[in-house]
Amino acid sequence: MERRGEFDNTILLLAVVLTCLGVVMVYSSSSIMADRRYADGFYFLKRQGVYAILGFALMAAAMHVNYQVLRRLAVPFLFGCVLLLGAVFLPGLGLSAGGASRWIRLAGISIQPSELAKLGLILYMAHSLAKKKGKIKSLTWGFLPYMLVLALLLFFLLLQPDLGAAITLGCVAMVMLFVAGTRLVYFLSAMILTTPFLYFLVMNVDYRRRRIFAFLNPWDDPTNTGFQIIQSWIAFGTGGPFGNGLGEGRQKLFYLPEAHTDFIFSVIGEELGFAGVFVITAMFLLLVLRGIRAAQAAPDDFGKYLAFGISLLIGLEAFVNFAVVMGMLPTKGLALPFLSYGGTSLVTTLLAVGVLLSVSRQAKGDGI
């Protein structure tokens, strides 16, 4: 008999609070820029609000659907993601910006397929890992097939190019395989084989190489390659313990590039201070821990891998964003889940949380 318990209300509350805070901070960080660019200070606020409503609707639908239904969609969904990744290069359908082709436009709506591909890979791997069980230690059946699927996705991502999404997908896949029991020697071999290729991708591309040098010493070029991280440091530094107050930040006034997207956490640091940074970091940590607990309590392997993969993705993206804006990792465009402006990212994240809540509803034992 199907078990129907209570949802993990902590995960639900954290997702709602973070999303609502994100809508507020998107407005705070973008209103002046939106007024100058679009003659409408509410431009990004209105759009992010619509994305949030759509995301909440999908989350509500997903959390009330038995996650086992998703097993039948795992392969078709991944196949659809591959088609969308290829569609970004089609004239008239794909959109380019800043030298990258990462979006498609359907019915007047821009979609970033790489965000869907992250969820697609997790869903596929959860389904496949649960089905293989004892074969996971086999090189032929338990490692190489996933490397081939991953290589196909990375091929399209590197063509766009989107190295950040490619690395994220690679890390998620490897950790899920490790948790499933794949032999350590396979990981070490893969790392040895891919390290020269990764070095080539970074050091032979001018803007990526300059980002590495800027990360090592941003003060060598403070008005160009080091400008973004220096402005981010200034934002955190001027925020102090409790911040300058919501809406009172100065770095967003055309000093801090991408203030409402990749560097929104810097605006939070300036306006809400260390207290705000600490609370948001703690909220992400708690959400990931509750997600892992839901994975441990799931009644079947598919649910365990699915919940763990979603929790891992949210935690990894948050950690990388935190590290980038604080200068602990080289600058790379990667949205902060729930908080950064972006429709596909927010909607996909909330959909994933809905799936995670569905798993938590079926938890074994006394609940979580």
Side-chain angles (χ1 to χ4, degrees), residues 1-4 66 362:
M1 181 180 296
E2 180 184 352
R3 186 185 193 280
R4 287 189 175 275
N66 190 326
Q362 308 295 329

Side-chain angles (χ1 to χ4, degrees), residues 46-366:
K46 290 184 289 189
R47 295 171 70 89
Q48 190 75 350
V50 171
Y51 299 146
I53 293 171
L54 177 58
F56 284 144
L58 290 177
M59 180 179 72
M63 63 191 284
H64 285 94
V65 173
N66 190 326
Y67 66 89
Q68 286 289 348
V69 174
L70 299 177
R71 294 199 71 166
R72 296 194 294 269
L73 302 176
V75 174
F77 187 75
L78 181 65
F79 181 71
C81 290
V82 173
L83 293 180
L84 290 176
L85 286 172
V88 301
F89 304 106
L90 296 178
L93 185 61
L95 292 177
S96 299
S101 300
R102 302 176 185 173
W103 302 267
I104 59 176
R105 192 163 187 84
L106 293 173
I109 301 175
S110 297
I111 300 173
Q112 190 170 1
S114 61
E115 296 295 333
L116 296 172
K118 296 171 187 176
L119 182 57
L121 180 64
I122 291 171
L123 180 60
Y124 165 76
M125 290 192 64
H127 162 67
S128 182
L129 289 171
K131 184 171 63 174
K132 291 186 177 180
K133 294 185 177 179
K135 296 180 179 179
I136 193 62
K137 292 185 180 296
S138 165
L139 175 63
T140 305
W141 296 101
F143 188 74
L144 289 181
Y146 300 108
M147 293 300 99
L148 292 175
V149 171
L150 181 61
L152 177 62
L153 295 174
L154 298 188
F155 172 75
F156 284 109
L157 289 174
L158 293 175
L159 280 181
Q160 293 183 2
D162 192 347
L163 183 60
I167 292 176
T168 300
L169 272 182
C171 290
V172 169
M174 289 298 184
V175 175
M176 288 186 69
L177 285 170
F178 179 78
V179 169
T182 301
R183 297 182 186 276
L184 183 60
V185 65
Y186 300 156
F187 295 108
L188 296 177
S189 300
M191 289 177 60
I192 293 173
L193 292 173
T194 57
T195 297
F197 183 61
L198 183 60
Y199 178 85
F200 174 82
L201 287 176
V202 173
M203 301 309 292
N204 280 4
V205 178
D206 183 60
Y207 74 91
R208 291 175 184 158
R209 183 174 63 251
R210 285 188 283 111
R211 284 180 176 178
I212 295 295
F213 293 146
F215 163 70
L216 296 174
N217 190 357
W219 298 104
D220 276 349
D221 192 7
T223 61
N224 189 11
T225 56
F227 182 79
Q228 197 164 25
I229 188 58
I230 290 174
Q231 298 305 314
S232 181
W233 284 341
I234 292 173
F236 282 111
T238 56
F242 301 105
N244 297 323
L246 185 62
E248 298 300 319
R250 294 291 179 266
Q251 291 305 108
K252 65 189 180 186
L253 304 180
F254 309 103
Y255 293 104
L256 184 64
E258 308 300 333
H260 62 305
T261 55
D262 302 336
F263 278 76
I264 196 168
F265 199 55
S266 305
V267 179
I268 292 173
E270 183 179 13
E271 298 189 352
L272 304 183
F274 174 79
V277 167
F278 176 82
V279 169
I280 290 174
T281 304
M283 290 173 70
F284 272 105
L285 178 61
L286 180 58
L287 191 154
V288 171
L289 291 176
R290 297 295 296 190
I292 293 175
R293 190 174 178 184
Q296 293 172 331
D300 57 78
D301 288 340
F302 174 63
K304 292 180 187 297
Y305 293 132
L306 186 59
F308 177 79
I310 292 171
S311 304
L312 171 65
L313 176 63
I314 293 174
L316 179 63
E317 290 191 324
F319 169 77
V320 172
N321 185 276
F322 294 161
V324 166
V325 301
M326 293 180 182
M328 295 184 289
L329 284 176
T331 301
K332 181 68 192 82
L334 189 65
L336 179 58
F338 304 107
L339 296 170
S340 291
Y341 173 78
T344 313
S345 173
L346 180 59
V347 171
T348 304
T349 300
L350 288 173
L351 174 60
V353 170
V355 175
L356 180 59
L357 288 168
S358 177
V359 176
S360 76
R361 193 182 189 189
Q362 308 295 329
K364 297 183 294 185
D366 297 328

Side-chain angles (χ1 to χ4, degrees), residues 3-22:
R3 186 185 193 280
R4 287 189 175 275
E6 296 294 328
F7 300 112
D8 188 320
N9 291 322
T10 302
I11 294 177
L12 178 59
L13 178 63
L14 289 170
V16 171
V17 171
L18 284 169
T19 301
C20 292
L21 177 61

